[in-house]
Amino acid sequence: MNDCLFCRIIKGEIPSVKVFENDDVLAFKDINPQAPFHAVVIPKQHITGAAAITAENSAAVAKVFEAIAEIAAAENLSDGFRVVTNCGEAAGQTVPHLHFHLWARRDLGWPPG
Ligand code: 5GP
Ligand code: ZN
């Protein structure tokens, strides 16, 4: 996907502050952080969002959550963290490449807005 912002970040065409990377997953600091720790965790496979997850591509999602557990350990987020995905415009999705917000290091209210 040449015109996908997050695919371009994966390719290094747009710079990012990387938090984690392996063959399947990239995590980088959000440009507009909503918590003292705010990473965006993405599969390298282009999937448009949570509504496009299927039996054929869901392994990419498992890889993302394996990465999240590794990041939480490496960043010492043992106090707790939140993982959020926005799906669709009404939910606030602005980039059509599946991504998970990883928030930590502040009290996170519930229910969220
Ligand atoms: P969404 O609104 O789709 O759930 O999340 C997209 C996130 O990507 C937003 O939190 C936004 O701040 C972040 N973002 C958008 N463009 C860039 C960028 O060029 N670099 C980085 N690091 N984050 C970005
Ligand atoms: Zn993409």
Side-chain angles (χ1 to χ4, degrees), residues 5 16 24 28-29 39 54-55 58 69 73 79-80 94 97-98 100 104:
L5 176 69
S16 68
D24 304 299
F28 52 90
K29 298 269 188 185
T54 65
S58 61
D79 281 353
T94 58
H97 180 129
L98 179 66
F100 296 85

Side-chain angles (χ1 to χ4, degrees), residues 1 4-11 20-28 40-50 52-53 56-68 71 83-85 93 95-101:
M1 290 292 288
C4 169
L5 176 69
F6 287 172
C7 283
R8 294 188 67 197
I9 287 178
I10 291 165
K11 285 187 266 181
F20 175 95
E21 182 167 24
N22 66 15
D23 286 347
D24 304 299
V25 178
L26 177 67
F28 52 90
V40 179
V41 191
I42 62 176
K44 289 189 174 177
Q45 181 178 354
H46 181 87
I47 299 168
T48 54
I53 296 168
E56 281 67 44
N57 64 24
S58 61
V61 181
K63 297 285 187 186
V64 164
F65 276 85
E66 289 170 26
I68 286 170
I71 295 164
V83 180
V84 167
T85 191
Q93 184 179 7
V95 181
H97 180 129
L98 179 66
H99 53 281
F100 296 85
H101 298 268

